[in-house]
Amino acid sequence: MDQAQIEVRVLGSLSQISAAEWDSCACPEVADGGRPLDPFTTHRFLLALEHSGSVGRGTGWQPQYLTAYLDGMLIAAAPMYAKSHSQGEYIFDHNWAHAYEGAGGRYYPKLQIAVPFTPATGRRFLVRPGYDSVGMSALVQGAVQLAADNQVSSVHATFCTEDEALAGEQMGLMLRQSQQFHWLNDEYQDFDGFLAALSSRKRKNIRKERAQAVDFGGEIRTLTGDDLRPEHWDAFWQFYQDTGSRKWGVPYLTRQFFDIAHEIMANDMALVLAERDGYPIAGALNFIGRETLFGRYWGCTEHYACLHFELCYYRAIDFAIAEGLARVEAGAQGEHKLARGYLPTRTHSLHWVNDPGFADAIKKYLDAEAHAVGEEIEILTDYGPFRKSNPEEQQ
């Protein structure tokens, strides 16, 4: 296919492209009537971030959506942003920025191909079926050319798929490996089936934690679709603000985002609420993909033993088993997830750096980091909660 036929354009807003056109690349799998693999690169989710003011002017996330057209047909797209900081990314490069600026360089702005505030693995180079290689190549070349032409320091694609990571590395991008903790569904029929796969000690500990959690004096419900009500978001906003102020200083999402999401994405969300005396006192928000439940936000106004574990991890497992989902991604960080059945899993990102000397230093850093990540995953997996071959572990 003649690469010269491909036209790469940058859009300042998703309102400049129809949902059908964008989603033909972002989630072509919905043609069978099912869910997208994940909702985060869909037109509706990304536009909700824009319309709510969560991205755009004053946020440090300026939309620069990358699109590639062949003979007038969209064949590839990428959610790309000009960044003036490194917040809300979860695969952090603060030390790169400090080192470059300490040497007299200008690290920001940079270009970020990502879903803002969302450490969930998914396709970042959204390609129409049948145009995989040429579509991704056009997007990579377009992003790099845009950065070079505007003297931007770097391009980053975070939480991309493993296939994209390997393809990007072949195109000359630098591969970075990180880790998260994911729960995998081994065709469990129910939560007890999952517990049966654990060592006796871990199984008893989880049962104890679940018993403590439900003893807070109220009710726990999982709500999705039409069961979600506007007042639920009033409560959840309080939870989200509490967590955001402690973790980030200022919450990333605006209050309006949850109202918009309620209107257009209720079927994409599962909200776990703990209520006491009829009032919500804690909540965990998940997004539902075709094969994966994505745990995203948690917060509370009252603290009870193990309630966080119950709402974020155990109820997510319950939901995944009931819906036949293959995995739960419970967000970034958190070695405490290991004891709750979430195993270390490799995540990937791709990077291009304009300055050759700086790029060489980062490449050496990434090689060493990948080795350390691999060793840590091996060690943590060995310490995992699942039964070993030792007969004593199975008693």
Side-chain angles (χ1 to χ4, degrees):
M1 185 176 296
D2 185 0
Q3 190 78 14
Q5 294 177 298
I6 297 177
E7 178 188 3
V8 176
R9 308 174 193 168
V10 177
L11 307 179
S13 171
L14 275 194
S15 61
Q16 297 174 247
I17 187 172
S18 71
E21 189 174 17
W22 178 272
D23 287 346
S24 69
C25 293
C27 51
E29 63 275 7
V30 303
D32 67 5
R35 294 182 180 277
L37 288 173
D38 71 74
F40 302 121
T41 57
T42 60
H43 191 275
R44 61 183 179 275
F45 183 88
L46 295 173
L47 194 60
L49 292 178
E50 280 191 57
H51 284 174
S52 67
S54 301
V55 302
R57 186 184 299 274
T59 68
W61 289 83
Q62 192 62 38
Q64 298 281 282
Y65 304 109
L66 206 59
T67 59
Y69 290 84
L70 177 64
D71 296 331
M73 180 179 69
L74 183 73
I75 64 165
M80 189 168 73
Y81 300 83
K83 291 294 305 294
S84 60
H85 53 64
S86 290
Q87 301 301 319
E89 296 169 11
Y90 300 94
I91 294 180
F92 293 120
D93 58 353
H94 296 102
N95 54 341
W96 300 0
H98 294 157
Y100 195 54
E101 292 176 354
R106 183 172 177 237
Y107 194 73
Y108 303 107
K110 62 177 183 174
L111 294 178
Q112 194 84 19
I113 297 173
V115 178
F117 330 121
T118 307
T121 293
R123 293 165 62 234
R124 297 294 174 261
F125 301 92
L126 314 173
V127 180
R128 184 183 293 271
Y131 296 87
D132 297 330
S133 178
V134 68
M136 181 172 175
S137 178
L139 293 174
V140 169
Q141 291 182 44
V144 168
Q145 190 65 53
L146 184 66
D149 289 347
N150 291 277
Q151 298 183 323
V152 172
S153 71
S154 50
V155 179
H156 311 265
T158 44
F159 293 102
C160 60
T161 67
E162 183 177 10
D163 287 344
E164 289 176 325
L166 295 175
E169 192 175 29
Q170 291 295 313
M171 295 176 191
L173 303 181
M174 293 183 288
L175 172 61
R176 187 176 192 182
Q177 299 183 38
S178 307
Q179 69 148 351
Q180 290 182 342
F181 292 86
H182 298 172
W183 179 84
L184 302 179
N185 188 354
D186 191 17
E187 299 183 354
Y188 301 118
Q189 297 301 304
D190 51 31
F191 197 90
D192 283 340
F194 158 61
L195 288 180
L198 305 182
S199 68
S200 175
R201 183 168 60 88
K202 293 292 192 270
R203 186 163 58 246
K204 290 176 181 176
N205 184 66
I206 289 176
R207 283 177 174 150
K208 180 180 178 182
E209 287 184 345
R210 298 205 78 176
Q212 285 183 297
V214 299
D215 197 33
F216 75 99
E219 179 187 9
I220 298 173
R221 297 189 293 157
T222 299
L223 308 171
T224 189
D226 292 339
D227 292 332
L228 290 167
R229 296 284 185 266
E231 58 266 26
H232 294 141
W233 302 114
D234 291 332
F236 190 77
W237 174 245
Q238 300 301 316
F239 308 150
Y240 178 70
Q241 280 189 302
D242 175 69
T243 301
S245 62
R246 286 185 289 105
K247 284 190 173 184
W248 317 304
V250 178
Y252 292 140
L253 298 172
T254 66
R255 174 65 181 85
Q256 191 180 9
F257 171 83
F258 296 99
D259 289 334
I260 294 173
H262 175 79
E263 292 297 324
I264 65 174
M265 300 190 69
N267 291 325
D268 296 308
M269 298 184 290
L271 178 62
V272 185
L273 279 183
E275 299 172 317
R276 190 169 60 81
D277 298 329
Y279 295 97
I281 55 94
L285 178 59
N286 305 274
F287 284 83
I288 310 166
R290 177 173 289 227
E291 300 172 349
T292 306
L293 185 69
F294 299 93
R296 289 304 303 115
Y297 304 109
W298 142 267
C300 63
T301 54
E302 298 181 17
H303 297 270
Y304 293 93
C306 300
L307 196 59
H308 171 246
F309 300 147
E310 178 67 18
L311 267 61
C312 291
Y313 308 139
Y314 302 141
R315 294 290 168 136
I317 292 174
D318 281 336
F319 187 91
I321 292 173
E323 297 296 321
L325 301 178
R327 65 185 63 82
V328 178
E329 291 191 21
Q333 305 172 337
E335 291 188 3
H336 60 279
K337 298 169 186 171
L338 184 67
R340 279 116 201 142
Y342 291 72
L343 294 178
T345 304
R346 205 178 301 267
T347 58
H348 306 86
S349 59
L350 291 166
H351 308 268
W352 174 87
V353 173
N354 203 351
D355 185 300
F358 190 43
D360 184 60
I362 288 179
K363 180 64 169 64
K364 292 176 181 176
Y365 170 85
L366 294 181
D367 289 342
E369 185 183 47
H371 180 72
V373 168
E375 285 190 336
E376 183 175 15
I377 288 176
E378 184 177 349
I379 292 169
L380 289 173
T381 301
D382 191 54
Y383 277 96
F386 290 87
R387 291 185 300 176
K388 309 296 191 297
S389 57
N390 184 343
E392 293 182 0
E393 286 287 338
Q394 301 183 37
Q395 293 179 0

